[in-house]
Amino acid sequence: MSIHKQLPIVVIVGRVNVGKSTLFNRLASDAHTIAYDTPGVTRDMVFDKTQWQNCAFILADTGGISITKTKDPIEQEIRTKALDALQNADIVLFMIDGAIGLTPEDHDIAKLLRRMGKKIFLVVNKTDYAITKEHIDEGLSLGFPLYGISATHGRGIEELMNAVIKEIEHIEPGSVEDHAYRVAIIGKPNVGKSSLMNMLLKKERSIVADMPGTTREAVSDFVTFYQEDIKLTDTPGIRRKRGVTHPLEQLMVKSALRAIDAAHIVILVVDGSEGVLSDQEIKLAFYAFEEKHKAVIILFNKQDLVTDEHKALLEQQSLLYDHLLDKVAKLSISCKTGKNIGKIMPLIHEVWERMQFQISETELTMFFNEQLTRRPLYKNKQALTFYRAKQIRVAPITIQLTVGHPPYWEKTQLGFLDNQLRSKYTLIGVPIVFVLRKAFGK
Ligand code: GDP
Ligand code: GDP
């Protein structure tokens, strides 16, 4: 199995019950699995690598959920995930129920999609019902190209998908910027980001003054390493959110979060002579790695000032946050003495290579089966059933688990598989994303 690192992503969105999962299942490559045979069983995102007439793409279903605002925290999390998927989408299939016509929620979704500026196809589903002209006109009034289908009967799918792949073929092979992998350098003011950036770019692009916060705006530059283009971005520093009062500092937090979102690899520079990481630094590493699925490298700078006492403090902290700090890549450096500066680019490259890690469905399924036989997982005293695991994406490594009851697989259970995988393969610095799928007929 080979997974292209930049397969186009097609995302299906729409409110509950319009027929998204029915379409997803019809298009999904693996005919044996059906994502939601019971409506609402799992409302998580599902992905599949699929193809239409030899044109491969990633298909994602945002689940039977609303992407409009909600106060329910679970709904909010799902909404965030749906928005994330949309951000990464190349093509959006916006589905409405033709038998019902446009609802206020559909209008909200349309508004949001329009703001995102994505290529959108309006999919009017359930055309096996007699669809009134009024409903079609309503749909057309949204201004997106419209395709009438019946997901259950398979009607209109061919026209829709032919248009989708035509659009995919139009997606430009991309500029240097698209091919480069993006590395963001983040950290508090004064930890040495600009010094580092200058050393990496081997030119004095910004003047480092002995004053905190001399670099305010994010600056980017390309470097070529091992024939690969890397886009490095240095961002203004981040301070603890609680202490943030000045609008400029608010901007700093925001720009760091934006830089994380846009990057493949996040380099968090910290001042090693402060001993421990601040709460804000831990939070940022966590946000980048666990929530945004970015590779993370922590550089402990100013080693020339680090004492044994600092080292002991850091060791204590590492024990406390081992679930995060053991998984990210770490390196001690000094911009002043040049210590380990030469190791940074090779480390970035290594981490990027690890993000391309690929494993076959057979090997992965066998490995997880072995681990789960050795140590079965339980939820409320019920043994969890696992059927198979298939890698569906690289960068970030994304693994789809086909299981008996997806809601039982929570952080702890997935964490077990994550750890097992990490103990067998070298995956330091890179996140592993699991998506759950319910086994058909189980
Ligand atoms: P989702 O919540 O958007 O994922 O919607 P589902 O795919 O779960 O579909 C909701 C309901 O609509 C189910 O009962 C489907 O069987 C039904 N449905 C989906 N597509 C069609 C269609 O083309 N025609 C008809 N009549 N019903 C459909
Ligand atoms: P930024 O605000 O994170 O971009 O940090 P700068 O690169 O501007 O560095 C802040 C200060 O720390 C400057 O005075 C640098 O000379 C100093 N500095 C950077 N790296 C090191 C280092 O490894 N050791 C020591 N002692 N000072 C450093």
Side-chain angles (χ1 to χ4, degrees), residues 226-251:
Y226 290 159
Q227 281 96 45
E228 291 186 71
D229 296 311
I230 305 174
K231 187 183 183 194
L232 283 174
T233 308
D234 172 21
T235 58
I238 300 147
R239 291 261 172 88
R240 274 186 307 129
K241 227 175 183 165
R242 216 177 325 128
V244 170
T245 45
H246 199 277
L248 190 60
E249 300 218 327
Q250 274 167 14
L251 269 178

PDB file of all heavy atoms in Angstrom, residues 226-251:
ATOM      1  N   TYR A 226      18.818  18.322   2.185  1.00  0.00           N
ATOM      2  CA  TYR A 226      18.594  17.009   1.574  1.00  0.00           C
ATOM      3  C   TYR A 226      17.629  17.133   0.390  1.00  0.00           C
ATOM      4  O   TYR A 226      16.666  16.397   0.293  1.00  0.00           O
ATOM      5  CB  TYR A 226      18.010  16.016   2.579  1.00  0.00           C
ATOM      6  CG  TYR A 226      18.928  15.554   3.672  1.00  0.00           C
ATOM      7  CD1 TYR A 226      18.426  15.021   4.843  1.00  0.00           C
ATOM      8  CD2 TYR A 226      20.312  15.628   3.528  1.00  0.00           C
ATOM      9  CE1 TYR A 226      19.255  14.573   5.855  1.00  0.00           C
ATOM     10  CE2 TYR A 226      21.154  15.191   4.541  1.00  0.00           C
ATOM     11  CZ  TYR A 226      20.628  14.668   5.696  1.00  0.00           C
ATOM     12  OH  TYR A 226      21.444  14.224   6.696  1.00  0.00           O
ATOM     13  N   GLN A 227      17.803  18.120  -0.427  1.00  0.00           N
ATOM     14  CA  GLN A 227      16.954  18.344  -1.610  1.00  0.00           C
ATOM     15  C   GLN A 227      15.486  18.593  -1.275  1.00  0.00           C
ATOM     16  O   GLN A 227      14.609  18.445  -2.098  1.00  0.00           O
ATOM     17  CB  GLN A 227      17.006  17.155  -2.584  1.00  0.00           C
ATOM     18  CG  GLN A 227      18.222  17.122  -3.462  1.00  0.00           C
ATOM     19  CD  GLN A 227      19.275  16.224  -2.850  1.00  0.00           C
ATOM     20  OE1 GLN A 227      18.972  15.149  -2.394  1.00  0.00           O
ATOM     21  NE2 GLN A 227      20.503  16.692  -2.845  1.00  0.00           N
ATOM     22  N   GLU A 228      15.184  18.936  -0.048  1.00  0.00           N
ATOM     23  CA  GLU A 228      13.788  19.227   0.259  1.00  0.00           C
ATOM     24  C   GLU A 228      13.659  20.678   0.669  1.00  0.00           C
ATOM     25  O   GLU A 228      14.549  21.226   1.292  1.00  0.00           O
ATOM     26  CB  GLU A 228      13.304  18.330   1.393  1.00  0.00           C
ATOM     27  CG  GLU A 228      13.199  16.895   0.957  1.00  0.00           C
ATOM     28  CD  GLU A 228      12.594  16.022   2.030  1.00  0.00           C
ATOM     29  OE1 GLU A 228      11.392  16.158   2.267  1.00  0.00           O
ATOM     30  OE2 GLU A 228      13.334  15.251   2.630  1.00  0.00           O
ATOM     31  N   ASP A 229      12.557  21.265   0.268  1.00  0.00           N
ATOM     32  CA  ASP A 229      12.344  22.652   0.657  1.00  0.00           C
ATOM     33  C   ASP A 229      11.672  22.674   2.014  1.00  0.00           C
ATOM     34  O   ASP A 229      10.693  21.989   2.240  1.00  0.00           O
ATOM     35  CB  ASP A 229      11.424  23.346  -0.351  1.00  0.00           C
ATOM     36  CG  ASP A 229      12.083  23.405  -1.704  1.00  0.00           C
ATOM     37  OD1 ASP A 229      13.249  23.828  -1.764  1.00  0.00           O
ATOM     38  OD2 ASP A 229      11.434  23.015  -2.691  1.00  0.00           O
ATOM     39  N   ILE A 230      12.209  23.470   2.862  1.00  0.00           N
ATOM     40  CA  ILE A 230      11.617  23.601   4.183  1.00  0.00           C
ATOM     41  C   ILE A 230      11.289  25.067   4.392  1.00  0.00           C
ATOM     42  O   ILE A 230      12.114  25.933   4.107  1.00  0.00           O
ATOM     43  CB  ILE A 230      12.605  23.143   5.281  1.00  0.00           C
ATOM     44  CG1 ILE A 230      13.078  21.718   4.995  1.00  0.00           C
ATOM     45  CG2 ILE A 230      11.961  23.244   6.654  1.00  0.00           C
ATOM     46  CD1 ILE A 230      14.157  21.247   5.936  1.00  0.00           C
ATOM     47  N   LYS A 231      10.098  25.325   4.835  1.00  0.00           N
ATOM     48  CA  LYS A 231       9.752  26.712   5.120  1.00  0.00           C
ATOM     49  C   LYS A 231       9.811  26.925   6.623  1.00  0.00           C
ATOM     50  O   LYS A 231       9.078  26.298   7.383  1.00  0.00           O
ATOM     51  CB  LYS A 231       8.348  27.006   4.610  1.00  0.00           C
ATOM     52  CG  LYS A 231       7.992  28.463   4.733  1.00  0.00           C
ATOM     53  CD  LYS A 231       6.570  28.697   4.291  1.00  0.00           C
ATOM     54  CE  LYS A 231       6.261  30.180   4.347  1.00  0.00           C
ATOM     55  NZ  LYS A 231       4.823  30.401   4.247  1.00  0.00           N
ATOM     56  N   LEU A 232      10.729  27.774   7.019  1.00  0.00           N
ATOM     57  CA  LEU A 232      10.876  28.053   8.446  1.00  0.00           C
ATOM     58  C   LEU A 232      10.145  29.340   8.781  1.00  0.00           C
ATOM     59  O   LEU A 232      10.276  30.330   8.084  1.00  0.00           O
ATOM     60  CB  LEU A 232      12.355  28.262   8.781  1.00  0.00           C
ATOM     61  CG  LEU A 232      13.254  27.038   8.877  1.00  0.00           C
ATOM     62  CD1 LEU A 232      14.688  27.509   9.067  1.00  0.00           C
ATOM     63  CD2 LEU A 232      12.849  26.155  10.029  1.00  0.00           C
ATOM     64  N   THR A 233       9.388  29.318   9.833  1.00  0.00           N
ATOM     65  CA  THR A 233       8.705  30.532  10.252  1.00  0.00           C
ATOM     66  C   THR A 233       9.039  30.813  11.703  1.00  0.00           C
ATOM     67  O   THR A 233       8.915  29.943  12.549  1.00  0.00           O
ATOM     68  CB  THR A 233       7.176  30.372  10.123  1.00  0.00           C
ATOM     69  OG1 THR A 233       6.884  29.919   8.815  1.00  0.00           O
ATOM     70  CG2 THR A 233       6.455  31.680  10.372  1.00  0.00           C
ATOM     71  N   ASP A 234       9.485  32.011  11.950  1.00  0.00           N
ATOM     72  CA  ASP A 234       9.762  32.435  13.325  1.00  0.00           C
ATOM     73  C   ASP A 234       8.599  33.315  13.745  1.00  0.00           C
ATOM     74  O   ASP A 234       8.154  34.175  13.009  1.00  0.00           O
ATOM     75  CB  ASP A 234      11.079  33.214  13.335  1.00  0.00           C
ATOM     76  CG  ASP A 234      11.360  33.855  14.674  1.00  0.00           C
ATOM     77  OD1 ASP A 234      10.779  33.395  15.678  1.00  0.00           O
ATOM     78  OD2 ASP A 234      12.150  34.803  14.707  1.00  0.00           O
ATOM     79  N   THR A 235       8.066  33.025  14.890  1.00  0.00           N
ATOM     80  CA  THR A 235       6.895  33.791  15.325  1.00  0.00           C
ATOM     81  C   THR A 235       7.241  34.632  16.533  1.00  0.00           C
ATOM     82  O   THR A 235       8.142  34.308  17.281  1.00  0.00           O
ATOM     83  CB  THR A 235       5.760  32.858  15.755  1.00  0.00           C
ATOM     84  OG1 THR A 235       6.255  32.039  16.808  1.00  0.00           O
ATOM     85  CG2 THR A 235       5.274  32.020  14.623  1.00  0.00           C
ATOM     86  N   PRO A 236       6.480  35.685  16.722  1.00  0.00           N
ATOM     87  CA  PRO A 236       6.660  36.455  17.939  1.00  0.00           C
ATOM     88  C   PRO A 236       6.420  35.560  19.150  1.00  0.00           C
ATOM     89  O   PRO A 236       5.739  34.554  19.046  1.00  0.00           O
ATOM     90  CB  PRO A 236       5.566  37.509  17.847  1.00  0.00           C
ATOM     91  CG  PRO A 236       5.192  37.553  16.427  1.00  0.00           C
ATOM     92  CD  PRO A 236       5.422  36.197  15.874  1.00  0.00           C
ATOM     93  N   GLY A 237       6.988  35.933  20.246  1.00  0.00           N
ATOM     94  CA  GLY A 237       6.927  35.092  21.438  1.00  0.00           C
ATOM     95  C   GLY A 237       5.543  34.957  22.033  1.00  0.00           C
ATOM     96  O   GLY A 237       4.615  35.658  21.683  1.00  0.00           O
ATOM     97  N   ILE A 238       5.459  34.020  22.936  1.00  0.00           N
ATOM     98  CA  ILE A 238       4.197  33.751  23.594  1.00  0.00           C
ATOM     99  C   ILE A 238       4.399  33.936  25.093  1.00  0.00           C
ATOM    100  O   ILE A 238       5.374  33.485  25.649  1.00  0.00           O
ATOM    101  CB  ILE A 238       3.792  32.288  23.352  1.00  0.00           C
ATOM    102  CG1 ILE A 238       3.638  32.059  21.870  1.00  0.00           C
ATOM    103  CG2 ILE A 238       2.539  31.917  24.109  1.00  0.00           C
ATOM    104  CD1 ILE A 238       4.018  30.677  21.480  1.00  0.00           C
ATOM    105  N   ARG A 239       3.466  34.588  25.694  1.00  0.00           N
ATOM    106  CA  ARG A 239       3.515  34.718  27.155  1.00  0.00           C
ATOM    107  C   ARG A 239       2.347  33.982  27.746  1.00  0.00           C
ATOM    108  O   ARG A 239       1.402  33.656  27.052  1.00  0.00           O
ATOM    109  CB  ARG A 239       3.407  36.189  27.536  1.00  0.00           C
ATOM    110  CG  ARG A 239       4.610  36.999  27.159  1.00  0.00           C
ATOM    111  CD  ARG A 239       5.525  37.203  28.361  1.00  0.00           C
ATOM    112  NE  ARG A 239       6.772  37.817  27.953  1.00  0.00           N
ATOM    113  CZ  ARG A 239       6.960  39.115  27.875  1.00  0.00           C
ATOM    114  NH1 ARG A 239       5.963  39.934  28.152  1.00  0.00           N
ATOM    115  NH2 ARG A 239       8.124  39.599  27.525  1.00  0.00           N
ATOM    116  N   ARG A 240       2.397  33.785  29.047  1.00  0.00           N
ATOM    117  CA  ARG A 240       1.270  33.130  29.699  1.00  0.00           C
ATOM    118  C   ARG A 240       0.002  33.913  29.441  1.00  0.00           C
ATOM    119  O   ARG A 240      -0.025  35.135  29.547  1.00  0.00           O
ATOM    120  CB  ARG A 240       1.507  33.024  31.207  1.00  0.00           C
ATOM    121  CG  ARG A 240       2.295  31.791  31.563  1.00  0.00           C
ATOM    122  CD  ARG A 240       2.385  31.636  33.038  1.00  0.00           C
ATOM    123  NE  ARG A 240       2.892  32.838  33.678  1.00  0.00           N
ATOM    124  CZ  ARG A 240       2.301  33.423  34.689  1.00  0.00           C
ATOM    125  NH1 ARG A 240       1.190  32.926  35.170  1.00  0.00           N
ATOM    126  NH2 ARG A 240       2.824  34.501  35.229  1.00  0.00           N
ATOM    127  N   LYS A 241      -1.073  33.176  29.139  1.00  0.00           N
ATOM    128  CA  LYS A 241      -2.283  33.847  28.738  1.00  0.00           C
ATOM    129  C   LYS A 241      -2.871  34.715  29.844  1.00  0.00           C
ATOM    130  O   LYS A 241      -3.374  35.792  29.593  1.00  0.00           O
ATOM    131  CB  LYS A 241      -3.321  32.837  28.267  1.00  0.00           C
ATOM    132  CG  LYS A 241      -3.945  33.255  26.962  1.00  0.00           C
ATOM    133  CD  LYS A 241      -4.874  32.232  26.434  1.00  0.00           C
ATOM    134  CE  LYS A 241      -5.413  32.681  25.085  1.00  0.00           C
ATOM    135  NZ  LYS A 241      -6.044  31.622  24.360  1.00  0.00           N
ATOM    136  N   ARG A 242      -2.774  34.201  31.069  1.00  0.00           N
ATOM    137  CA  ARG A 242      -3.387  34.917  32.188  1.00  0.00           C
ATOM    138  C   ARG A 242      -2.829  36.338  32.312  1.00  0.00           C
ATOM    139  O   ARG A 242      -3.544  37.286  32.577  1.00  0.00           O
ATOM    140  CB  ARG A 242      -3.161  34.148  33.493  1.00  0.00           C
ATOM    141  CG  ARG A 242      -4.335  34.238  34.426  1.00  0.00           C
ATOM    142  CD  ARG A 242      -4.097  33.402  35.685  1.00  0.00           C
ATOM    143  NE  ARG A 242      -3.344  32.182  35.427  1.00  0.00           N
ATOM    144  CZ  ARG A 242      -2.255  31.849  36.098  1.00  0.00           C
ATOM    145  NH1 ARG A 242      -1.761  32.621  37.031  1.00  0.00           N
ATOM    146  NH2 ARG A 242      -1.645  30.724  35.838  1.00  0.00           N
ATOM    147  N   GLY A 243      -1.499  36.436  32.097  1.00  0.00           N
ATOM    148  CA  GLY A 243      -0.842  37.731  32.273  1.00  0.00           C
ATOM    149  C   GLY A 243      -1.010  38.656  31.071  1.00  0.00           C
ATOM    150  O   GLY A 243      -0.551  39.783  31.094  1.00  0.00           O
ATOM    151  N   VAL A 244      -1.652  38.131  30.039  1.00  0.00           N
ATOM    152  CA  VAL A 244      -1.742  38.917  28.817  1.00  0.00           C
ATOM    153  C   VAL A 244      -2.730  40.062  28.973  1.00  0.00           C
ATOM    154  O   VAL A 244      -3.903  39.860  29.241  1.00  0.00           O
ATOM    155  CB  VAL A 244      -2.175  38.037  27.621  1.00  0.00           C
ATOM    156  CG1 VAL A 244      -2.510  38.882  26.411  1.00  0.00           C
ATOM    157  CG2 VAL A 244      -1.086  37.049  27.283  1.00  0.00           C
ATOM    158  N   THR A 245      -2.241  41.261  28.860  1.00  0.00           N
ATOM    159  CA  THR A 245      -3.148  42.394  28.941  1.00  0.00           C
ATOM    160  C   THR A 245      -2.975  43.267  27.709  1.00  0.00           C
ATOM    161  O   THR A 245      -3.922  43.778  27.149  1.00  0.00           O
ATOM    162  CB  THR A 245      -2.884  43.254  30.196  1.00  0.00           C
ATOM    163  OG1 THR A 245      -1.474  43.437  30.312  1.00  0.00           O
ATOM    164  CG2 THR A 245      -3.427  42.592  31.454  1.00  0.00           C
ATOM    165  N   HIS A 246      -1.712  43.380  27.305  1.00  0.00           N
ATOM    166  CA  HIS A 246      -1.391  44.227  26.176  1.00  0.00           C
ATOM    167  C   HIS A 246      -1.874  43.587  24.880  1.00  0.00           C
ATOM    168  O   HIS A 246      -1.650  42.406  24.643  1.00  0.00           O
ATOM    169  CB  HIS A 246       0.128  44.411  26.135  1.00  0.00           C
ATOM    170  CG  HIS A 246       0.536  45.585  25.336  1.00  0.00           C
ATOM    171  ND1 HIS A 246       0.638  45.506  23.974  1.00  0.00           N
ATOM    172  CD2 HIS A 246       0.839  46.837  25.687  1.00  0.00           C
ATOM    173  CE1 HIS A 246       1.015  46.690  23.519  1.00  0.00           C
ATOM    174  NE2 HIS A 246       1.140  47.513  24.542  1.00  0.00           N
ATOM    175  N   PRO A 247      -2.542  44.371  24.024  1.00  0.00           N
ATOM    176  CA  PRO A 247      -3.025  43.787  22.771  1.00  0.00           C
ATOM    177  C   PRO A 247      -1.926  43.166  21.923  1.00  0.00           C
ATOM    178  O   PRO A 247      -2.147  42.191  21.250  1.00  0.00           O
ATOM    179  CB  PRO A 247      -3.668  44.971  22.044  1.00  0.00           C
ATOM    180  CG  PRO A 247      -3.552  46.147  22.929  1.00  0.00           C
ATOM    181  CD  PRO A 247      -2.954  45.742  24.223  1.00  0.00           C
ATOM    182  N   LEU A 248      -0.734  43.728  22.015  1.00  0.00           N
ATOM    183  CA  LEU A 248       0.372  43.206  21.237  1.00  0.00           C
ATOM    184  C   LEU A 248       0.654  41.752  21.646  1.00  0.00           C
ATOM    185  O   LEU A 248       0.941  40.894  20.829  1.00  0.00           O
ATOM    186  CB  LEU A 248       1.608  44.064  21.475  1.00  0.00           C
ATOM    187  CG  LEU A 248       2.791  43.795  20.560  1.00  0.00           C
ATOM    188  CD1 LEU A 248       2.412  44.014  19.118  1.00  0.00           C
ATOM    189  CD2 LEU A 248       3.967  44.668  20.937  1.00  0.00           C
ATOM    190  N   GLU A 249       0.548  41.497  22.955  1.00  0.00           N
ATOM    191  CA  GLU A 249       0.831  40.149  23.428  1.00  0.00           C
ATOM    192  C   GLU A 249      -0.280  39.187  23.041  1.00  0.00           C
ATOM    193  O   GLU A 249      -0.025  38.018  22.784  1.00  0.00           O
ATOM    194  CB  GLU A 249       1.021  40.164  24.944  1.00  0.00           C
ATOM    195  CG  GLU A 249       2.171  41.065  25.336  1.00  0.00           C
ATOM    196  CD  GLU A 249       2.959  40.487  26.470  1.00  0.00           C
ATOM    197  OE1 GLU A 249       2.335  39.823  27.305  1.00  0.00           O
ATOM    198  OE2 GLU A 249       4.175  40.700  26.501  1.00  0.00           O
ATOM    199  N   GLN A 250      -1.494  39.714  22.995  1.00  0.00           N
ATOM    200  CA  GLN A 250      -2.583  38.864  22.516  1.00  0.00           C
ATOM    201  C   GLN A 250      -2.303  38.424  21.085  1.00  0.00           C
ATOM    202  O   GLN A 250      -2.501  37.290  20.712  1.00  0.00           O
ATOM    203  CB  GLN A 250      -3.909  39.618  22.564  1.00  0.00           C
ATOM    204  CG  GLN A 250      -4.569  39.519  23.923  1.00  0.00           C
ATOM    205  CD  GLN A 250      -5.699  40.522  24.065  1.00  0.00           C
ATOM    206  OE1 GLN A 250      -6.142  41.094  23.082  1.00  0.00           O
ATOM    207  NE2 GLN A 250      -6.136  40.717  25.285  1.00  0.00           N
ATOM    208  N   LEU A 251      -1.799  39.384  20.342  1.00  0.00           N
ATOM    209  CA  LEU A 251      -1.435  39.081  18.960  1.00  0.00           C
ATOM    210  C   LEU A 251      -0.377  37.992  18.890  1.00  0.00           C
ATOM    211  O   LEU A 251      -0.393  37.142  18.024  1.00  0.00           O
ATOM    212  CB  LEU A 251      -0.869  40.343  18.294  1.00  0.00           C
ATOM    213  CG  LEU A 251      -1.866  41.226  17.572  1.00  0.00           C
ATOM    214  CD1 LEU A 251      -1.150  42.445  17.020  1.00  0.00           C
ATOM    215  CD2 LEU A 251      -2.511  40.450  16.426  1.00  0.00           C
TER     216      LEU A 251
END
